[in-house]
Each structure stands twice: as structure tokens, then as C-alpha cells.
Amino acid sequence: MLLGVNIDHIAVLREARRVADPTLIDALGIVKRAGGDQITIHLREDRRHIQDSDARDIIHLSPLPVNLECAIAPEIIDIVCELTPHRATIVPEKREEVTTEGGLSVIPQSPELKDAIKKLQAKEIEVSLFIDPCSDSLKASKELGVEWVEFHTGKYANIYAMLYGNLASTHHTIPSLNLPRATLKQMLEQELIILKQLSDEAQSLGIRVAAGHGLNYQNVQAVASIDSIEELNIGQSIIARCVYTGLEEAIIKMRECIQR
Ligand code: PXP
């Protein structure tokens, strides 16, 4: 199983203060040393975290392949074509959302999508579509000739969170349902069955399969055990954990600096 580490949240922290600290470039070597296989970043239209210069520097300096997530806005696709990352993952984007809340609605006849894919592939950039685990979107992805799909695991993570009180949920997308545990368990199992069926189907269609969104240390295993999924892209839970695993060392280091 390949692991793409999404480092957007390092930029979120930096942008909160509009300073140069923490730098994203320092994270690249750490991701590689720790066994990450890919750097994943999202150049959003509102530039709320990753900036154009970050994307440029990361693609230039990363020791690992870079997966650049982007919307199909022509301005963004032109930038991606110029930057030529290893892969571009096309995602839906809404200005008001806090994160990518669902997969793309893939319509094979969509001229914008066709055009974006053609432009990217002409630059030899692998194209992936971030889709909900849904048969129509998968078939449409096949018609569009993309190399990869990435299945949105947000619904799985949300059901898991409702069942086990887990941290991965995007709170405002969780319906306030007071469902019995047995129903939630069935829903979770069903979600995993669908994910497996569609991943197997994608593989048999010759499309490589990634998955991601809301995966964390508790819920990841069931998804990771699906053989036809080749790669997981994970951000929030990894960066959130750094705060706890790194806080002690950070305070000790500051103590050393101010010791007298
Ligand atoms: N994959 C894609 C396409 C995404 O947009 C995101 C969120 O930025 C992720 C994976 C990672 O999701 P999370 O931060 O919840 O792990």
C-alpha cells in the first residue's frame, strides 16, 4: 500500500500567521525518511493554504513524486500544466467548504473535464479523479481515459465516527441521526463492501485506485486491507498527531534556548 502524505495543513498553520514558519520544504525529507511514498498538496483556487510558490518549490525539490490536487478551473489547470507534477488529482471545490466534502460528479461528456484531462495528459501528467464510490462515476472515469481514480472515504469515516465516537468526522457533514448501533454497523459494512466492489471493478477496467479523506489511526485498517486499493492519501490525522508527538521536544528545545 502506497502512502501519500498530504502536507496542506502545515501551510494552514503558516498562513494563520502569514509568516515563513513552518516551511513546507523541511517536511519533504521527513516524509521520505518516515516511509511516505508521495507528497500530496492541494492548490486551491482561494489559495487558503498552498501558494503557487509552494507548489513550484515542492515539485522542484521533492525527493518523492508529487500529487497535486486541483479544481478544473482553466486558470488552475494551466498552472498545473506549467508545473508538471507527477500526478494531478482533479477534485471538486467549493469556496465555503472547510475541506473537500465529496467526490466529483463525473459526466463523461463534460467539456471542461475532457479539456482539463487532455491538457494534463498532453504534458505527461498522470490524471486521477477524486470520486465518490459510485459505479456511474467510475464508468465515466473509464470513458474519460484517466489513469487513476481516488475514492472519497469521507462517508465511511463519518459513519465510523458516528459508531465509535471517532475523531475523523467532518462535524458539519455528519447528519444528526440517532441511529441504532446495529444500523450504523450495517452501514459501515455496506460502505466497505461498496468500496471494495468498486475498487475491484476499477482494477479490472485498468484504472489504478487510491482512496482518502477522513482516514485516521483508528479507521484506516479496514480500508487498507482492500487489495485493489494501491494508495491512501492522508493529511489531517497525520498532521494532528504531530502536535502531540512533537510538542514535548519543541518545549524542551525552547527551554534549552532560554536557559540561564
Ligand atoms: N485526498 C484528497 C483528494 C483530498 O482532497 C484530501 C483532503 O485534502 C485528502 C485525500 C486527505 O484527507 P484528510 O486530510 O482528511 O486525511
Side-chain angles (χ1 to χ4, degrees):
M1 177 65 82
L2 300 170
L3 174 62
V5 179
N6 185 317
I7 60 171
D8 293 344
H9 288 288
I10 301 177
V12 168
L13 188 56
R14 182 196 61 192
E15 291 303 306
R17 281 293 278 270
R18 300 212 193 289
V19 288
D21 185 28
T23 63
L24 293 158
I25 298 305
D26 288 336
L28 304 177
I30 299 174
V31 173
K32 180 163 190 244
R33 275 206 308 283
D37 300 291
Q38 169 173 269
I39 301 288
T40 295
I41 48 172
H42 185 174
L43 183 67
R44 291 188 70 101
E45 285 183 88
D46 62 12
R47 308 299 199 274
R48 71 170 70 149
H49 39 56
I50 298 290
Q51 307 298 309
D52 297 42
S53 55
D54 293 324
R56 189 177 310 278
D57 293 347
I58 289 167
I59 290 164
H60 188 59
L61 297 169
S62 174
L64 295 170
V66 177
N67 171 26
L68 182 53
E69 298 172 3
C70 59
I72 52 168
E75 177 236 355
I76 294 284
I77 295 296
D78 287 347
I79 295 172
V80 179
C81 284
E82 194 220 311
L83 295 175
T84 59
H86 185 79
R87 190 187 314 161
T89 297
I90 302 180
V91 302
E93 231 178 77
K94 286 190 231 136
R95 293 256 161 171
E96 63 280 11
E97 70 188 358
V98 290
T99 182
T100 314
E101 285 166 2
L104 279 172
S105 314
V106 185
I107 305 162
Q109 299 83 8
S110 157
E112 292 89 359
L113 201 49
K114 265 189 184 167
D115 196 43
I117 293 167
K118 216 167 89 187
K119 278 186 180 167
L120 293 164
Q121 288 178 334
K123 291 281 183 178
E124 298 186 356
I125 302 167
E126 283 181 350
V127 179
S128 179
L129 301 180
F130 191 38
I131 60 176
D132 288 321
C134 133
S135 191
D136 286 349
S137 293
L138 177 61
K139 287 193 185 105
S141 303
K142 174 68 186 168
E143 272 189 56
L144 285 160
V146 292
E147 289 86 354
W148 287 83
V149 290
E150 178 169 339
F151 286 122
H152 195 298
T153 49
K155 187 171 171 198
Y156 161 77
N158 280 349
I159 299 169
Y160 192 100
M162 286 191 275
L163 186 55
Y164 298 112
N166 187 259
L167 299 169
S169 62
T170 317
H171 298 291
H172 63 284
T173 62
I174 284 204
S176 48
L177 300 173
N178 222 349
L179 293 170
R181 286 184 69 77
T183 310
L184 288 170
K185 271 193 176 161
Q186 266 177 5
M187 285 166 70
L188 195 69
E189 267 168 36
Q190 187 57 23
E191 214 41 49
L192 285 167
I193 289 168
I194 292 170
L195 202 53
K196 178 170 166 29
Q197 274 172 355
L198 288 171
S199 300
D200 289 353
E201 196 180 324
Q203 197 180 45
S204 67
L205 291 171
I207 301 178
R208 303 180 72 179
V209 183
H213 201 92
L215 297 178
N216 67 11
Y217 296 88
Q218 290 77 41
N219 68 18
V220 73
Q221 212 154 29
V223 177
S225 67
I226 299 174
D227 283 341
S228 43
I229 299 180
E230 281 188 62
E231 175 190 287
L232 299 176
N233 286 296
I234 305 181
Q236 171 78 29
S237 60
I238 294 176
I239 305 301
R241 190 180 168 97
C242 300
V243 174
Y244 305 115
T245 56
L247 188 58
E248 188 173 347
E249 187 279 334
I251 295 168
I252 291 169
K253 181 78 191 159
M254 185 56 79
R255 267 258 149 253
E256 277 170 26
C257 293
I258 63 175
Q259 209 67 44
R260 57 175 185 179

